[in-house]
C-alpha cells in the first residue's frame, strides 16, 4: 500500500488540508465503543505518515451521536462536503469511509465532488482516488454494501425485537404502579400507597364515568398521584404530584393496567422538516397484544368498557353533553334524546299567559345548518307522566338504589381514609429516616449536621401537616356521612312519594332524583308522543301521551261556539249574541266570557257573513232605498217604524234597520193618527 499511496498523494494534495471525519451514530456508541473512536483518531498518524503536517489535519467530530442515515441533522458532514467542494481538502479520511454516509445518494455525491476537486479518500484498507474509475467503482460498491448492511442490521434488530415482543419477553417501560420483579416479570408495585391510589383512581372513574370528574375528585380530596422517574438514571425515584387530566386519560388508555402485554401502540412518523412524531395506533393494528400477561389493576373487560366510555364522552362532548341539573322547571333537562335523529334535545321555556312552560327541542342541526328544527315537544305533560311513572314503579327500586348509593359512599370514604393515613405514615417514615441520618453524622461535622438537622425539622413539619390534613378531612367526611347524608338517603328510600310531592322539594331536587334513577328519555313527537324511559340499570318503559295543544290551538275558539255564533247571526246583532252566549255559559278559546269585540273577531276570523250582509241577501232595503222607491222621505219611514206601522230589521247595535221592499205601507199622513195606539212597538220585535 505504501508505494501505491505515495504515488497517489501529490504535492497538490499536500498543499491542501487533510480532513478526518469521526462519527459514532448513537450516544451510547460514543460512550461504549471508545475503541473505535480511538482508531478513528489514530488515522491522524496515517495522514502525517503520508506527508501532512499534524496541524493541517482538520478533525470533524461534531457529528458524534448522530445517525448516518440522513444528512439533514449532520452539520459536520455538510461542512465536509462544503469544504471538499471548495477545494480545501486534499484528502478525506474515515475509519470505513463508506460509513461517512449511510445513504447511497449522499455518498455518491461526495464521490463526485471528490473526483471533481481531485480529493483523495483514505480508510483503514487503503487510499483511493475517486477520479480513477477503478477506485470509484470500489468506493461505490463499498457505499452500496454499507447501505445494505445498515438495512439488514436494522431489519434483523427489528425482527429480533418483534420476536421477543411476540413472546411478551421484550422488556418495555412500565407505567407507575407496575414494576419488574427480580425475574423480570411485571408485578404490582409493592408500595401499598401506590397500589391503593391506582385502585381508587380506577374505582372513581368507574363511578363517575369521566376523567374530568376523577381528576376533580382527587383534587377535592387532596390526594396525590404517584409517578416514577421514567428516563435517565433515577428510575426508582417515586414522587407524588397532583393528578392532571392528561395523566388520567393516559392512565385509562394504558392496557398494561389491565394486565395486557402490548407492543406497537404508537408509530413513528417522519416529518418533512426533519425529526419525527409519534402517533397512536388503533387497537386492531397493535402488533402484539397478549391479554392476562401479568397482574393488573382492572380486568380486560373493564379496560374495554373504559375505552368505550371515554369514546362516548368525547362524542358527547362534540355534540351536547348530558348536562348537570340546572334551575328551571323542565324535569328532564339534559336527559332527553331526540327519537328522530338521536341528538340531544335542549330545553326552551315558552312564556304562556301568566306561566312559563318548558318545551324539549331538537335544534342542533337546525342551528348548524340553518334548517327547520327537528322537533319540539311541549314538556308539561311529559314531566307529569314521568313523575307519575316514578311514583308508580319506584317504591322497591328507590330502596335498592339508595342503599347501593349509601354503600358506595361508605366504601369510597374508607378508601380515601386509608390513603390519607398512608400519606401520614409515609411522612413519618421520611422523618424517621432523616432523624437516623442526623444521628449517624459526626457531631463535629457542623456543616453536614446542620443541614441534616434542618432536613429533619422540615420532615417533622410535613408529618404534622399530613396529620392535620388527615384529621380535618376524615372528620369532615365522617360528619357528612353520618348525619346529613344518611338522613337524606333514608328519607328518599322510605318516603319517596312524600318527598316528591312535598311543596318544600325544589324542582332542582326533583331533577336530581330523576337523574339518580333515569339514564335518559327518548322522545318522539307526532299525533301521539312516545317517551321511552331508560332507567339506570337498563330497564326501558314506554309511555304514550296525547299530544299537548300548541299555544295557537289553545287560543282557538271551540268549533261548536263558532257554529252557534253563525246561527245566531241570522237573527241577532253582535250585542244580542254576546248576551245569549254568556247566558248559555259558553267561553272563548282563552276561557273568557264573550264581549262584542270577541264576537266580531271570531266573525272576521272564520269569515262569517255580517248580519247586514245576510239581510241584504234576503233583499231588504236601506232606508234611503225604500224612501226613493215609494216616494217618501227617509224621515217618514223612520217615523213609521218608530210608531210600529212597518217592521224594521236591526243590523247593528245602534239599531239601524233594513226594510222589506214591499208590503202594506201606510198612506202618507195616516201614521199620525194611529201613532198613539202603537207607541210602544219598535224594532224590538226582532228580539224574538
Ligand atoms: Zn332531532
Amino acid at each position: 500500500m505504501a508505494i501505491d499511496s505515495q504515488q497517489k498523494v501529490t504535492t497538490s494534495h499536500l498543499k491542501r488540508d487533510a480532513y478526518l471525519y469521526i462519527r459514532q451514530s448513537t450516544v451510547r456508541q460514543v460512550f461504549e465503543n471508545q475503541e473505535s473512536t480511538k482508531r478513528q483518531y489514530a488515522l491522524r498518524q496515517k495522514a502525517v505518515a503520508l506527508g501532512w503536517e499534524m496541524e493541517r489535519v482538520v478533525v470533524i467530530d461534531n457529528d458524534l451521536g448522530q445517525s448516518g442515515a440522513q444528512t439533514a441533522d449532520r452539520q459536520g458532514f455538510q461542512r465536509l462536503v462544503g469544504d471538499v467542494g471548495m477545494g480545501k481538502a486534499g484528502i478525506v479520511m474515515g475509519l470505513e469511509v463508506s460509513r461517512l454516509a449511510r445513504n447511497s445518494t449522499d455518498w455518491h455525491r461526495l464521490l463526485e465532488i471528490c473526483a471533481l476537486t481531485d480529493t483523495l479518500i483514505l480508510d483503514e484498507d487503503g487510499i483511493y482516488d475517486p477520479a480513477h474509475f477503478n477506485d470509484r467503482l470500489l468506493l461505490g460498491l463499498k457505499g452500496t454494501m454499507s447501505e445494505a448492511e445498515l438495512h439488514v442490521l436494522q431489519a434483523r434488530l427489528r425482527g429480533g425485537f418483534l420476536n421477543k415482543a411476540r413472546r411478551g419477553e421484550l422488556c418495555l417501560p412500565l407505567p407507575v404502579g407496575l414494576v419488574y420483579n427480580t425475574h423480570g416479570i411485571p408485578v404490582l408495585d409493592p408500595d401499598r400507597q401506590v397500589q391503593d391510589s391506582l385502585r381508587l383512581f380506577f374505582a372513581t372513574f368507574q363511578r363517575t364515568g369521566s376523567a374530568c370528574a376523577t381528576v376533580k375528585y382527587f383534587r377535592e380530596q387532596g390526594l396525590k398521584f404517584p409517578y416514577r422517574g421514567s428516563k435517565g438514571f433515577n428510575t426508582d425515584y417515586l414522587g407524588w404530584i397532583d393528578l392532571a387530566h392528561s395523566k388520567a386519560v393516559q392512565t385509562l388508555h394504558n392496557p398494561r393496567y389491565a394486565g395486557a402485554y402490548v407492543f406497537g401502540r404508537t408509530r413513528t412518523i417522519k416529518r418533512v422538516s426533519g425529526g419525527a412524531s409519534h402517533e397512536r395506533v388503533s387497537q386492531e393494528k397493535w402488533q402484539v397484544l397478549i391479554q392476562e400477561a401479568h397482574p393488573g389493576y382492572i380486568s380486560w373487560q373493564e379496560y374495554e368498557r373504559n375505552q368505550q366510555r371515554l369514546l362516548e364522552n368525547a362524542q358527547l362532548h362534540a355534540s351536547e353533553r348530558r348536562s348537570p341539573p340546572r334551575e328551571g322547571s323542565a324535569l328532564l333537562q339534559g336527559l332527553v334524546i331526540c327519537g328522530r335523529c338521536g341528538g340531544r334535545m335542549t330545553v326552551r321555556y315558552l312564556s304562556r299567559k301568566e306561566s312559563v312552560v318548558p318545551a324539549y327541542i331538537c335544534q342542533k342541526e337546525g342551528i348548524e345548518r340553518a334548517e327547520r328544527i327537528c322537533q319540539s315537544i311541549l314538556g308539561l305533560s311529559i314531566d307529569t307522566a314521568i313523575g307519575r311513572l316514578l311514583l308508580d314503579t319506584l317504591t322497591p327500586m328507590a330502596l335498592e338504589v339508595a342503599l347501593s348509593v349509601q354503600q358506595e359512599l361508605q366504601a369510597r370514604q374508607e378508601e380515601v381514609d386509608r390513603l390519607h393515613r398512608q400519606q401520614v405514615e409515609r411522612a413519618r417514615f421520611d422523618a424517621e429516616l432523616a432523624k437516623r441520618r442526623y444521628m449517624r453524622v459526626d457531631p463535629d461535622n457542623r456543616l453536614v449536621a446542620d443541614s441534616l438537622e434542618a432536613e429533619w425539622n422540615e420532615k417533622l413539619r410535613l408529618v404534622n401537616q399530613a396529620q392535620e390534613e388527615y384529621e380535618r378531612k376524615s372528620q369532615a367526611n365522617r360528619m357528612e356521612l353520618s348525619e346529613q347524608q344518611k338522613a337524606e338517603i333514608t328519607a328518599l328510600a322510605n318516603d319517596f312519594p312524600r318527598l316528591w310531592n312535598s311543596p318544600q322539594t325544589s324542582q332542582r331536587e326533583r331533577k336530581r332524583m330523576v337523574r339518580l334513577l333515569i339514564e335518559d328519555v327518548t322522545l318522539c313527537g307526532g299525533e301521539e308522543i312516545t317517551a321511552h324511559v331508560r332507567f339506570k340499570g337498563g330497564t326501558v318503559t314506554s309511555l304514550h301521551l296525547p299530544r299537548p295543544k300548541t299555544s295557537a290551538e289553545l287560543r282557538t275558539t271551540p268549533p261548536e261556539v263558532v257554529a252557534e255564533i253563525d246561527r245566531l247571526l241570522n237573527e241577532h246583532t253582535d250585542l244580542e249574541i254576546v248576551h245569549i252566549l254568556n247566558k248559555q255559559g259558553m267561553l272563548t278559546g282563552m276561557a273568557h266570557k264573550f264581549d262584542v269585540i270577541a264576537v266580531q273577531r271570531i266573525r272576521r276570523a272564520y269569515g262569517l257573513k255580517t248580519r247586514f250582509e245576510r239581510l241584504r241577501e234576503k233583499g231588504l232595503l236601506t232606508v234611503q232605498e225604500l224612501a226613493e222607491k215609494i216616494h217618501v222621505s227617509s224621515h217618514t219611514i223612520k217615523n213609521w217604524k218608530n210608531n210600529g206601522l212597518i217592521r224594521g230589521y236591526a243590523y247593528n247595535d245602534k239599531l239601524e234597520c233594513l226594510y222589506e221592499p214591499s208590503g202594506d205601507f201606510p198612506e202618507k199622513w195616516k201614521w199620525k193618527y194611529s201613532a198613539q195606539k202603537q207607541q210602544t212597538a219598535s224594532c224590538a220585535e226582532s228580539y224574538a
Side-chain angles (χ1 to χ4, degrees):
M1 173 202 152
I3 305 159
D4 185 31
S5 312
Q6 300 299 347
Q7 285 172 346
K8 280 183 183 162
V9 179
T10 62
T11 45
S12 129
H13 294 127
L14 287 170
K15 271 185 204 157
R16 290 175 273 163
D17 292 341
Y19 277 71
L20 173 59
Y21 182 77
I22 297 176
R23 185 181 69 80
Q24 291 284 7
S25 13
T26 64
V27 178
R28 191 166 159 168
Q29 276 182 343
V30 175
F31 278 105
E32 292 176 0
N33 204 355
Q34 295 191 349
E35 188 52 36
S36 157
T37 316
K38 271 184 209 148
R39 269 167 63 212
Q40 296 193 34
Y41 282 107
L43 284 174
R44 242 184 318 198
Q45 299 306 323
K46 265 195 177 168
V48 175
L50 286 170
W52 273 275
E53 290 164 34
M54 193 58 151
E55 52 271 24
R56 299 214 62 173
V57 180
V58 180
V59 179
I60 298 183
D61 57 1
N62 45 357
D63 284 346
L64 283 176
Q66 301 279 358
S67 161
Q70 281 172 333
T71 359
D73 292 332
R74 295 196 296 148
Q75 286 174 358
F77 183 72
Q78 284 171 356
R79 180 184 154 202
L80 177 70
V81 173
D83 284 1
V84 170
M86 288 189 288
K88 287 184 185 172
I91 189 165
V92 173
M93 301 179 290
L95 200 55
E96 287 162 77
V97 274
S98 58
R99 295 208 182 168
L100 286 177
R102 281 286 203 178
N103 175 321
S104 230
T105 327
D106 289 347
W107 175 236
H108 281 281
R109 198 167 302 139
L110 180 67
L111 288 187
E112 292 276 294
I113 298 170
C114 284
L116 282 172
T117 55
D118 183 27
T119 306
L120 300 175
I121 288 181
L122 175 134
D123 70 3
E124 278 196 321
D125 296 334
I127 189 161
Y128 313 92
D129 185 351
H132 289 178
F133 175 74
N134 276 336
D135 283 4
R136 201 157 78 215
L137 187 68
L138 189 61
L139 286 170
L141 270 176
K142 279 193 168 195
T144 311
M145 294 300 286
S146 162
E147 197 184 13
E149 186 191 350
L150 182 70
H151 174 77
V152 170
L153 221 96
Q154 272 179 343
R156 206 177 292 153
L157 263 177
R158 176 129 191 99
F161 265 140
L162 257 179
N163 275 336
K164 231 175 156 187
R166 284 210 183 92
R167 295 194 301 271
E169 287 168 9
L170 184 66
C171 271
L172 298 168
L174 290 172
V176 68
L178 294 169
V179 288
Y180 286 109
N181 66 7
T182 41
H183 304 293
I185 295 164
V187 289
L188 300 191
D189 197 318
D191 189 313
R192 204 60 219 168
Q193 195 185 350
V194 173
Q195 273 193 29
D196 287 348
S197 294
L198 277 158
R199 291 225 167 81
L200 179 70
F201 171 81
F202 284 111
T204 311
F205 180 76
Q206 180 90 8
R207 192 182 71 246
T208 57
S210 119
C212 265
T214 310
V215 173
K216 204 168 153 208
Y217 180 71
F218 266 67
R219 292 260 159 124
E220 276 168 5
Q221 297 293 335
L223 296 172
K224 305 272 181 190
F225 198 75
Y227 75 92
R228 281 207 185 271
S230 59
K231 278 178 187 158
F233 306 102
N234 202 357
T235 46
D236 278 340
Y237 176 74
L238 174 66
W240 295 87
I241 39 164
D242 285 332
L243 178 60
H245 182 261
S246 57
K247 182 74 197 168
V249 172
Q250 206 183 356
T251 306
L252 288 165
H253 278 310
N254 197 327
R256 308 262 357 207
Y257 287 114
Y261 182 90
V262 175
F263 183 78
R265 275 177 71 213
T266 55
R267 83 175 158 200
T268 311
I269 295 169
K270 282 183 182 159
R271 283 196 298 253
V272 184
S273 55
S277 58
H278 300 284
E279 190 189 65
R280 201 180 278 167
V281 175
S282 63
Q283 189 180 324
E284 58 272 21
K285 285 182 190 155
W286 292 351
Q287 285 171 321
V288 180
L289 167 62
I290 306 170
Q291 291 173 21
E292 290 171 31
H294 55 79
Y297 288 87
I298 49 173
S299 68
W300 181 255
Q301 287 75 23
E302 200 179 334
Y303 170 78
E304 291 202 308
R305 262 204 307 281
N306 289 351
Q307 303 313 301
Q308 187 60 32
R309 204 79 172 267
L310 289 170
L311 187 72
E312 278 169 17
N313 288 356
Q315 283 167 347
L316 279 185
H317 204 77
S319 61
E320 200 205 345
R321 298 167 51 131
R322 186 174 181 272
S323 51
R326 289 192 296 262
E327 298 300 338
S329 64
L331 197 61
L332 301 176
Q333 167 244 318
L335 293 181
V336 192
I337 291 171
C338 173
R340 283 195 195 154
C341 72
R344 287 261 165 200
M345 292 177 88
T346 48
V347 175
R348 179 185 283 176
Y349 291 98
L350 309 170
S351 69
R352 287 283 168 81
K353 223 170 194 179
E354 288 150 30
S355 72
V356 172
V357 295
Y360 298 109
I361 172 164
C362 174
Q363 59 179 352
K364 185 176 155 278
E365 295 290 293
I367 290 171
E368 276 182 2
R369 301 207 201 131
E371 285 169 5
R372 260 182 73 104
I373 57 162
C374 180
Q375 62 171 347
S376 165
I377 300 173
L378 282 178
L380 225 44
S381 62
I382 299 167
D383 286 2
T384 321
I386 295 283
R388 234 180 5 248
L389 176 73
L390 289 184
L391 288 178
D392 287 349
T393 51
L394 210 67
T395 356
M397 222 170 84
L399 197 69
E400 206 177 295
V401 169
L403 282 182
S404 71
V405 167
Q406 194 176 9
Q407 243 168 17
E408 203 189 323
L409 284 175
Q410 196 90 49
R412 201 196 328 162
Q413 226 38 70
E414 277 162 19
E415 276 170 64
V416 170
D417 207 55
R418 201 172 60 236
L419 274 173
H420 277 299
R421 243 184 356 253
Q422 281 170 348
Q423 264 172 6
V424 175
E425 270 163 32
R426 181 169 292 274
R428 270 212 196 104
F429 175 74
D430 283 352
E432 187 60 30
L433 221 83
K435 179 181 156 195
R436 254 184 271 156
R437 239 178 275 142
Y438 171 70
M439 295 300 192
R440 244 182 279 142
V441 79
D442 184 352
D444 289 339
N445 193 346
R446 290 298 330 155
L447 271 179
V448 177
D450 279 354
S451 76
L452 282 180
E453 190 181 4
E455 192 191 331
W456 181 21
N457 280 335
E458 173 63 17
K459 295 285 179 198
L460 283 177
R461 196 184 60 74
L462 287 178
V463 171
N464 277 339
Q465 197 182 328
Q467 180 76 32
E468 272 169 26
E469 173 97 335
Y470 166 61
E471 274 161 18
R472 207 178 55 238
K473 277 269 156 57
S474 68
Q475 205 170 11
N477 287 334
R478 256 200 300 279
M479 250 161 48
E480 212 177 326
L481 187 67
S482 56
E483 314 283 324
Q484 194 189 342
Q485 279 179 323
K486 260 188 189 164
E488 269 176 22
I489 291 164
T490 325
L492 177 66
N494 290 342
D495 209 359
F496 181 74
R498 189 186 58 77
L499 204 63
W500 183 266
N501 292 320
S502 160
Q504 269 91 46
T505 309
S506 71
Q507 191 66 4
R508 199 181 169 123
E509 293 305 319
R510 277 194 202 102
K511 283 194 210 173
R512 286 229 177 88
M513 287 189 244
V514 168
R515 262 140 210 281
L516 199 62
L517 302 162
I518 292 179
E519 183 72 45
D520 52 41
V521 177
T522 308
L523 285 184
C524 218
E527 274 315 297
E528 185 189 60
I529 296 172
T530 322
H532 302 286
V533 184
R534 191 153 65 102
F535 285 99
K536 296 260 162 143
T539 333
V540 177
T541 309
S542 296
L543 297 173
H544 300 279
L545 306 167
R547 186 171 62 91
K549 285 181 174 169
T550 63
S551 81
E553 284 168 342
L554 283 177
R555 283 164 206 271
T556 311
T557 316
E560 57 274 14
V561 175
V562 179
E564 180 68 5
I565 291 172
D566 192 23
R567 193 181 64 79
L568 289 172
L569 274 171
N570 289 331
E571 301 295 331
H572 301 281
T573 63
D574 293 347
L575 188 61
E576 290 162 17
I577 292 173
V578 168
H579 290 313
I580 294 166
L581 290 176
N582 285 344
K583 207 186 265 176
Q584 289 177 4
M586 286 192 172
L587 294 174
T588 64
M590 303 285 285
H592 294 305
K593 280 186 155 193
F594 279 97
D595 56 16
V596 174
I597 293 174
V599 170
Q600 284 173 352
R601 196 180 288 146
I602 291 168
R603 206 184 59 209
R604 256 177 253 127
Y606 289 87
L608 305 181
K609 282 178 184 148
T610 61
R611 173 134 173 87
F612 182 79
E613 284 165 341
R614 286 163 202 249
L615 290 175
R616 291 289 279 174
E617 270 176 13
K618 285 184 188 165
L620 298 192
L621 302 178
T622 63
V623 78
Q624 287 83 10
E625 284 167 350
L626 185 62
E628 225 163 87
K629 187 178 172 192
I630 59 172
H631 308 291
V632 293
S633 72
S634 53
H635 192 69
T636 306
I637 291 172
K638 282 180 191 166
N639 277 335
W640 284 350
K641 187 205 73 181
N642 289 342
N643 288 293
L645 300 176
I646 57 167
R647 185 174 174 189
Y649 296 85
Y651 62 85
N652 64 17
D653 294 322
K654 287 186 263 175
L655 299 182
E656 290 173 310
C657 293
L658 291 180
Y659 300 89
E660 283 177 1
S662 56
D664 253 352
F665 293 110
E667 284 168 36
K668 205 172 179 184
W669 296 106
K670 196 180 170 186
W671 64 276
K672 278 195 175 168
Y673 307 108
S674 57
Q676 281 81 16
K677 278 189 273 175
Q678 295 178 13
Q679 196 78 51
T680 47
S682 73
C683 38
E685 283 164 37
S686 60
Y687 276 72

